[in-house]
Amino acid sequence: MSKTFQKGIIFDMDNTLLQSRINFAEMKRAIFQLWVDNGIVSPALEWEEHTASQLIEIGRKAEQMTRELEQAMWDAVTVIEKEGMHGAVLEQHAVEVLEELKNRYQLYILTNNAYAAAEEALNETGIASYFDEIVAREQMTILKPSPSGIHYIRSRKPDWPVSAWTMIGDSWIDGKAACDGQVAFIAYQGNEQEMERNGVVPRAYIRDLKELLTVLEMCEQE
């Protein structure tokens, strides 16, 4: 039965609902090496200072980029994602919080991962059915921290006001996407210094997913 709630919550996936084992350092190194080998970036680029999504977009915007090279990059990224998502486990209290929220909100996943990897991980951990839609990198024009995915989700409910939406994530890139997409952001186990450094001001910081229920209730009373 279709839900008719007029509010939505957008969840990041890795390290927000699932304890990710994705080796992001290895992913960044692989992308960087591919770009160096094909003359897209200088070997002197401080790749460790960039997120994987930032490195991906550097390459995608380069004049030297070809369809074949971009596919090679996505293939390398997908291998690392699948390795990291296999056997993933849930964050503490994820199920009981989702069980409570599903009665009041439409729930979405917004992840930079491939759709297939995200769907497999959510099914494996038994929480896929809680979500009205899984939005992965295939639905975005640019990965988070771009608000592209937020815009896509909001376009699914064009009659909903921006105030109807809240995003939950662990990283500054989630917060940046939310803020630039004009959506309220709640940081789960987020690094405050990193958030501030990237201009992200969450509505609240939480350390346990159960705190989300209280924070959302307080926000609705404002």
Side-chain angles (χ1 to χ4, degrees), residues 1 3 11 33 52 63 80-81 83 95 101 118 120 130 135 139 157 178 192 195 214 218 220:
M1 183 180 295
K3 292 183 290 185
F11 281 95
Q33 193 59 55
E63 291 182 6
I80 295 169
E81 284 176 347
E83 288 176 354
V95 171
L101 292 177
E120 182 177 336
Y130 288 105
V135 178
Q139 284 77 48
K157 302 291 180 182
E192 293 191 33
M195 296 283 178
T214 303
M218 291 173 60
E220 290 183 4

PDB file of all heavy atoms in Angstrom, residues 1 3 11 33 52 63 80-81 83 95 101 118 120 130 135 139 157 178 192 195 214 218 220:
ATOM      1  N   MET A   1       0.849  -1.199   0.000  1.00  0.00           N
ATOM      2  CA  MET A   1       0.000   0.000   0.000  1.00  0.00           C
ATOM      3  C   MET A   1       0.881   1.244   0.000  1.00  0.00           C
ATOM      4  O   MET A   1       1.816   1.345   0.785  1.00  0.00           O
ATOM      5  CB  MET A   1      -0.911   0.002   1.239  1.00  0.00           C
ATOM      6  CG  MET A   1      -1.889   1.178   1.277  1.00  0.00           C
ATOM      7  SD  MET A   1      -2.946   1.119   2.759  1.00  0.00           S
ATOM      8  CE  MET A   1      -3.871  -0.380   2.421  1.00  0.00           C
ATOM      9  N   LYS A   3       2.173   4.893   0.745  1.00  0.00           N
ATOM     10  CA  LYS A   3       2.046   5.809   1.874  1.00  0.00           C
ATOM     11  C   LYS A   3       1.706   7.214   1.364  1.00  0.00           C
ATOM     12  O   LYS A   3       2.103   7.601   0.278  1.00  0.00           O
ATOM     13  CB  LYS A   3       3.358   5.855   2.666  1.00  0.00           C
ATOM     14  CG  LYS A   3       3.661   4.564   3.388  1.00  0.00           C
ATOM     15  CD  LYS A   3       4.920   4.672   4.218  1.00  0.00           C
ATOM     16  CE  LYS A   3       6.163   4.768   3.376  1.00  0.00           C
ATOM     17  NZ  LYS A   3       7.384   4.750   4.182  1.00  0.00           N
ATOM     18  N   PHE A  11      18.290   9.326   3.878  1.00  0.00           N
ATOM     19  CA  PHE A  11      19.415   8.754   4.608  1.00  0.00           C
ATOM     20  C   PHE A  11      20.603   8.521   3.683  1.00  0.00           C
ATOM     21  O   PHE A  11      20.457   7.935   2.602  1.00  0.00           O
ATOM     22  CB  PHE A  11      19.043   7.394   5.215  1.00  0.00           C
ATOM     23  CG  PHE A  11      18.237   7.449   6.474  1.00  0.00           C
ATOM     24  CD1 PHE A  11      16.855   7.353   6.425  1.00  0.00           C
ATOM     25  CD2 PHE A  11      18.854   7.575   7.710  1.00  0.00           C
ATOM     26  CE1 PHE A  11      16.095   7.374   7.589  1.00  0.00           C
ATOM     27  CE2 PHE A  11      18.112   7.609   8.886  1.00  0.00           C
ATOM     28  CZ  PHE A  11      16.732   7.509   8.826  1.00  0.00           C
ATOM     29  N   GLN A  33      45.597   7.179  -9.470  1.00  0.00           N
ATOM     30  CA  GLN A  33      46.590   6.529 -10.318  1.00  0.00           C
ATOM     31  C   GLN A  33      46.101   6.436 -11.763  1.00  0.00           C
ATOM     32  O   GLN A  33      46.874   6.639 -12.710  1.00  0.00           O
ATOM     33  CB  GLN A  33      46.919   5.129  -9.793  1.00  0.00           C
ATOM     34  CG  GLN A  33      48.163   4.516 -10.434  1.00  0.00           C
ATOM     35  CD  GLN A  33      49.402   5.371 -10.214  1.00  0.00           C
ATOM     36  OE1 GLN A  33      49.750   5.691  -9.076  1.00  0.00           O
ATOM     37  NE2 GLN A  33      50.065   5.773 -11.299  1.00  0.00           N
ATOM     38  N   ALA A  52      36.731  10.822  -2.593  1.00  0.00           N
ATOM     39  CA  ALA A  52      36.655  10.030  -3.819  1.00  0.00           C
ATOM     40  C   ALA A  52      35.763  10.716  -4.847  1.00  0.00           C
ATOM     41  O   ALA A  52      36.091  10.767  -6.042  1.00  0.00           O
ATOM     42  CB  ALA A  52      36.121   8.626  -3.505  1.00  0.00           C
ATOM     43  N   GLU A  63      39.505  17.558 -20.146  1.00  0.00           N
ATOM     44  CA  GLU A  63      39.420  17.488 -21.601  1.00  0.00           C
ATOM     45  C   GLU A  63      39.846  16.116 -22.124  1.00  0.00           C
ATOM     46  O   GLU A  63      39.364  15.654 -23.155  1.00  0.00           O
ATOM     47  CB  GLU A  63      40.307  18.570 -22.241  1.00  0.00           C
ATOM     48  CG  GLU A  63      39.798  19.988 -22.032  1.00  0.00           C
ATOM     49  CD  GLU A  63      40.685  21.018 -22.716  1.00  0.00           C
ATOM     50  OE1 GLU A  63      41.614  20.604 -23.441  1.00  0.00           O
ATOM     51  OE2 GLU A  63      40.437  22.224 -22.528  1.00  0.00           O
ATOM     52  N   ILE A  80      35.764  -2.107  -5.635  1.00  0.00           N
ATOM     53  CA  ILE A  80      36.085  -1.763  -4.245  1.00  0.00           C
ATOM     54  C   ILE A  80      34.811  -1.624  -3.412  1.00  0.00           C
ATOM     55  O   ILE A  80      34.752  -2.050  -2.258  1.00  0.00           O
ATOM     56  CB  ILE A  80      36.934  -0.476  -4.199  1.00  0.00           C
ATOM     57  CG1 ILE A  80      38.292  -0.729  -4.869  1.00  0.00           C
ATOM     58  CG2 ILE A  80      37.129   0.015  -2.766  1.00  0.00           C
ATOM     59  CD1 ILE A  80      39.109   0.513  -5.119  1.00  0.00           C
ATOM     60  N   GLU A  81      33.765  -1.041  -4.006  1.00  0.00           N
ATOM     61  CA  GLU A  81      32.486  -0.914  -3.300  1.00  0.00           C
ATOM     62  C   GLU A  81      31.915  -2.279  -2.943  1.00  0.00           C
ATOM     63  O   GLU A  81      31.493  -2.518  -1.812  1.00  0.00           O
ATOM     64  CB  GLU A  81      31.478  -0.173  -4.185  1.00  0.00           C
ATOM     65  CG  GLU A  81      31.683   1.312  -4.263  1.00  0.00           C
ATOM     66  CD  GLU A  81      30.713   1.970  -5.224  1.00  0.00           C
ATOM     67  OE1 GLU A  81      30.053   1.255  -6.007  1.00  0.00           O
ATOM     68  OE2 GLU A  81      30.616   3.209  -5.194  1.00  0.00           O
ATOM     69  N   GLU A  83      33.376  -5.153  -2.657  1.00  0.00           N
ATOM     70  CA  GLU A  83      34.190  -5.809  -1.634  1.00  0.00           C
ATOM     71  C   GLU A  83      33.848  -5.263  -0.256  1.00  0.00           C
ATOM     72  O   GLU A  83      33.734  -6.002   0.725  1.00  0.00           O
ATOM     73  CB  GLU A  83      35.675  -5.600  -1.924  1.00  0.00           C
ATOM     74  CG  GLU A  83      36.203  -6.398  -3.108  1.00  0.00           C
ATOM     75  CD  GLU A  83      37.662  -6.091  -3.423  1.00  0.00           C
ATOM     76  OE1 GLU A  83      38.225  -5.163  -2.789  1.00  0.00           O
ATOM     77  OE2 GLU A  83      38.227  -6.755  -4.304  1.00  0.00           O
ATOM     78  N   VAL A  95      17.284  -0.648  12.818  1.00  0.00           N
ATOM     79  CA  VAL A  95      15.982  -1.255  12.512  1.00  0.00           C
ATOM     80  C   VAL A  95      14.862  -0.625  13.342  1.00  0.00           C
ATOM     81  O   VAL A  95      13.811  -0.271  12.804  1.00  0.00           O
ATOM     82  CB  VAL A  95      16.016  -2.785  12.723  1.00  0.00           C
ATOM     83  CG1 VAL A  95      14.607  -3.372  12.619  1.00  0.00           C
ATOM     84  CG2 VAL A  95      16.921  -3.442  11.690  1.00  0.00           C
ATOM     85  N   LEU A 101      10.082   5.355  12.142  1.00  0.00           N
ATOM     86  CA  LEU A 101       9.972   6.445  11.169  1.00  0.00           C
ATOM     87  C   LEU A 101       9.049   6.110  10.003  1.00  0.00           C
ATOM     88  O   LEU A 101       8.412   6.999   9.438  1.00  0.00           O
ATOM     89  CB  LEU A 101      11.359   6.806  10.638  1.00  0.00           C
ATOM     90  CG  LEU A 101      12.320   7.454  11.634  1.00  0.00           C
ATOM     91  CD1 LEU A 101      13.672   7.685  10.982  1.00  0.00           C
ATOM     92  CD2 LEU A 101      11.767   8.777  12.174  1.00  0.00           C
ATOM     93  N   ALA A 118      24.291  -0.877  -3.610  1.00  0.00           N
ATOM     94  CA  ALA A 118      23.442  -0.384  -2.527  1.00  0.00           C
ATOM     95  C   ALA A 118      22.258  -1.317  -2.286  1.00  0.00           C
ATOM     96  O   ALA A 118      21.948  -1.676  -1.147  1.00  0.00           O
ATOM     97  CB  ALA A 118      22.941   1.022  -2.856  1.00  0.00           C
ATOM     98  N   GLU A 120      21.985  -4.464  -3.008  1.00  0.00           N
ATOM     99  CA  GLU A 120      22.446  -5.734  -2.448  1.00  0.00           C
ATOM    100  C   GLU A 120      22.723  -5.612  -0.951  1.00  0.00           C
ATOM    101  O   GLU A 120      22.323  -6.479  -0.165  1.00  0.00           O
ATOM    102  CB  GLU A 120      23.720  -6.182  -3.175  1.00  0.00           C
ATOM    103  CG  GLU A 120      24.271  -7.509  -2.704  1.00  0.00           C
ATOM    104  CD  GLU A 120      25.491  -7.966  -3.485  1.00  0.00           C
ATOM    105  OE1 GLU A 120      25.660  -7.531  -4.635  1.00  0.00           O
ATOM    106  OE2 GLU A 120      26.284  -8.757  -2.935  1.00  0.00           O
ATOM    107  N   TYR A 130      12.128  -0.803   3.873  1.00  0.00           N
ATOM    108  CA  TYR A 130      11.726   0.419   4.574  1.00  0.00           C
ATOM    109  C   TYR A 130      11.738   1.641   3.660  1.00  0.00           C
ATOM    110  O   TYR A 130      11.144   2.670   3.997  1.00  0.00           O
ATOM    111  CB  TYR A 130      12.658   0.698   5.762  1.00  0.00           C
ATOM    112  CG  TYR A 130      12.461  -0.249   6.921  1.00  0.00           C
ATOM    113  CD1 TYR A 130      13.377  -1.267   7.174  1.00  0.00           C
ATOM    114  CD2 TYR A 130      11.358  -0.137   7.759  1.00  0.00           C
ATOM    115  CE1 TYR A 130      13.212  -2.145   8.237  1.00  0.00           C
ATOM    116  CE2 TYR A 130      11.173  -1.004   8.823  1.00  0.00           C
ATOM    117  CZ  TYR A 130      12.107  -2.009   9.056  1.00  0.00           C
ATOM    118  OH  TYR A 130      11.920  -2.870  10.103  1.00  0.00           O
ATOM    119  N   VAL A 135      18.238   5.924  -4.147  1.00  0.00           N
ATOM    120  CA  VAL A 135      18.813   6.831  -5.144  1.00  0.00           C
ATOM    121  C   VAL A 135      20.334   6.716  -5.072  1.00  0.00           C
ATOM    122  O   VAL A 135      20.939   7.022  -4.044  1.00  0.00           O
ATOM    123  CB  VAL A 135      18.358   8.284  -4.909  1.00  0.00           C
ATOM    124  CG1 VAL A 135      18.995   9.225  -5.920  1.00  0.00           C
ATOM    125  CG2 VAL A 135      16.833   8.367  -4.986  1.00  0.00           C
ATOM    126  N   GLN A 139      21.396   7.919 -10.616  1.00  0.00           N
ATOM    127  CA  GLN A 139      20.332   8.931 -10.679  1.00  0.00           C
ATOM    128  C   GLN A 139      20.863  10.361 -10.529  1.00  0.00           C
ATOM    129  O   GLN A 139      20.097  11.311 -10.602  1.00  0.00           O
ATOM    130  CB  GLN A 139      19.299   8.673  -9.583  1.00  0.00           C
ATOM    131  CG  GLN A 139      18.344   7.519  -9.862  1.00  0.00           C
ATOM    132  CD  GLN A 139      18.987   6.163  -9.643  1.00  0.00           C
ATOM    133  OE1 GLN A 139      19.615   5.931  -8.622  1.00  0.00           O
ATOM    134  NE2 GLN A 139      18.841   5.277 -10.609  1.00  0.00           N
ATOM    135  N   LYS A 157       8.643  14.535  -5.574  1.00  0.00           N
ATOM    136  CA  LYS A 157       7.500  15.073  -4.834  1.00  0.00           C
ATOM    137  C   LYS A 157       7.456  16.594  -5.055  1.00  0.00           C
ATOM    138  O   LYS A 157       7.674  17.387  -4.134  1.00  0.00           O
ATOM    139  CB  LYS A 157       7.635  14.769  -3.334  1.00  0.00           C
ATOM    140  CG  LYS A 157       7.745  13.288  -3.002  1.00  0.00           C
ATOM    141  CD  LYS A 157       6.427  12.567  -3.280  1.00  0.00           C
ATOM    142  CE  LYS A 157       6.562  11.078  -2.947  1.00  0.00           C
ATOM    143  NZ  LYS A 157       5.306  10.341  -3.266  1.00  0.00           N
ATOM    144  N   ALA A 178      22.978  18.398   1.260  1.00  0.00           N
ATOM    145  CA  ALA A 178      21.707  18.792   1.859  1.00  0.00           C
ATOM    146  C   ALA A 178      21.551  20.309   1.887  1.00  0.00           C
ATOM    147  O   ALA A 178      20.524  20.848   1.465  1.00  0.00           O
ATOM    148  CB  ALA A 178      21.592  18.217   3.265  1.00  0.00           C
ATOM    149  N   GLU A 192      32.779  17.512  13.775  1.00  0.00           N
ATOM    150  CA  GLU A 192      32.353  18.920  13.808  1.00  0.00           C
ATOM    151  C   GLU A 192      33.352  19.839  13.124  1.00  0.00           C
ATOM    152  O   GLU A 192      32.967  20.776  12.415  1.00  0.00           O
ATOM    153  CB  GLU A 192      32.128  19.369  15.259  1.00  0.00           C
ATOM    154  CG  GLU A 192      30.941  18.676  15.912  1.00  0.00           C
ATOM    155  CD  GLU A 192      30.562  19.299  17.245  1.00  0.00           C
ATOM    156  OE1 GLU A 192      30.727  20.529  17.394  1.00  0.00           O
ATOM    157  OE2 GLU A 192      30.087  18.563  18.130  1.00  0.00           O
ATOM    158  N   MET A 195      32.998  19.458   9.413  1.00  0.00           N
ATOM    159  CA  MET A 195      31.756  20.107   8.974  1.00  0.00           C
ATOM    160  C   MET A 195      31.973  21.613   8.853  1.00  0.00           C
ATOM    161  O   MET A 195      31.648  22.233   7.829  1.00  0.00           O
ATOM    162  CB  MET A 195      30.619  19.823   9.957  1.00  0.00           C
ATOM    163  CG  MET A 195      30.199  18.373  10.072  1.00  0.00           C
ATOM    164  SD  MET A 195      29.194  17.778   8.710  1.00  0.00           S
ATOM    165  CE  MET A 195      28.969  16.054   9.211  1.00  0.00           C
ATOM    166  N   THR A 214      14.037  11.874  18.774  1.00  0.00           N
ATOM    167  CA  THR A 214      13.821  13.041  19.640  1.00  0.00           C
ATOM    168  C   THR A 214      14.061  14.336  18.887  1.00  0.00           C
ATOM    169  O   THR A 214      13.283  15.296  18.994  1.00  0.00           O
ATOM    170  CB  THR A 214      14.754  12.978  20.866  1.00  0.00           C
ATOM    171  OG1 THR A 214      14.523  11.760  21.567  1.00  0.00           O
ATOM    172  CG2 THR A 214      14.517  14.161  21.788  1.00  0.00           C
ATOM    173  N   MET A 218      11.398  17.382  18.081  1.00  0.00           N
ATOM    174  CA  MET A 218      11.640  18.764  18.483  1.00  0.00           C
ATOM    175  C   MET A 218      11.544  19.693  17.284  1.00  0.00           C
ATOM    176  O   MET A 218      10.985  20.801  17.381  1.00  0.00           O
ATOM    177  CB  MET A 218      13.024  18.877  19.135  1.00  0.00           C
ATOM    178  CG  MET A 218      13.125  18.199  20.492  1.00  0.00           C
ATOM    179  SD  MET A 218      14.821  18.181  21.145  1.00  0.00           S
ATOM    180  CE  MET A 218      15.173  19.931  21.235  1.00  0.00           C
ATOM    181  N   GLU A 220       9.750  19.330  14.638  1.00  0.00           N
ATOM    182  CA  GLU A 220       8.346  19.468  14.223  1.00  0.00           C
ATOM    183  C   GLU A 220       7.588  20.412  15.142  1.00  0.00           C
ATOM    184  O   GLU A 220       6.579  20.996  14.745  1.00  0.00           O
ATOM    185  CB  GLU A 220       7.667  18.101  14.202  1.00  0.00           C
ATOM    186  CG  GLU A 220       8.170  17.210  13.067  1.00  0.00           C
ATOM    187  CD  GLU A 220       7.445  15.884  13.024  1.00  0.00           C
ATOM    188  OE1 GLU A 220       6.499  15.680  13.817  1.00  0.00           O
ATOM    189  OE2 GLU A 220       7.823  15.051  12.182  1.00  0.00           O
TER     190      GLU A 220
END
